[in-house]
Amino acid sequence: MNTNALSLDDLTNALLIGAESQLGDALKSMAGFAKEQMKLISLTIIGLESLQKSGQITPEQAKADLAIAKNSVQMALITELGLTKLAAQRVVDDALDAVADLIADVVDITL
């Protein structure tokens, strides 16, 4: 695991860029909402990094916690934006794909 700490803003922005591939121009009209949702995922990842470094959780627990955060954001996208479940999954998956290597470097989980 890398010792470089993740930046909340950098991680959130990278997630937004990944989400943009699915949301396209719609991202502009909902930029604040989308940023808050990606920030929730970022906070989860940063928290997992800290917990793993201190030995408080295992990679399996980290992966489960991240799955909970993903599901929460997907439900918010479905509820607030009227996306289908599949579309919401694609938004979150594309966002996480954009930061997968970074996450794997600092948090011992594979997306």
Side-chain angles (χ1 to χ4, degrees):
M1 202 170 351
N2 191 330
T3 58
N4 296 332
L6 294 171
S7 156
L8 178 62
D9 289 336
D10 290 346
L11 187 55
T12 300
N13 289 332
L15 288 165
L16 278 169
I17 290 168
E20 186 175 16
S21 68
Q22 288 296 320
L23 295 173
D25 290 339
L27 184 61
K28 291 177 183 142
S29 66
M30 59 177 187
F33 175 77
K35 185 170 185 169
E36 285 305 311
Q37 295 308 307
M38 295 305 118
K39 188 175 182 179
L40 291 173
I41 292 175
S42 297
L43 288 167
T44 299
I45 292 167
I46 290 169
L48 294 174
E49 175 190 23
S50 175
L51 290 170
Q52 279 194 325
K53 281 183 179 178
S54 65
Q56 295 179 37
I57 68 171
T58 66
E60 293 78 21
Q61 291 168 318
K63 191 169 187 170
D65 285 353
L66 183 57
I68 291 168
K70 283 175 56 175
N71 288 335
S72 175
V73 169
Q74 287 169 3
M75 290 306 299
L77 293 171
I78 291 167
T79 303
E80 294 296 319
L81 305 179
L83 296 180
T84 65
K85 182 177 180 181
L86 181 58
Q89 287 173 335
R90 286 182 178 160
V91 169
V92 175
D93 287 346
D94 282 2
L96 286 169
D97 284 349
V99 296
D101 290 339
L102 175 64
I103 292 170
D105 283 347
V106 295
V107 181
D108 191 15
I109 58 174
T110 305
L111 301 177

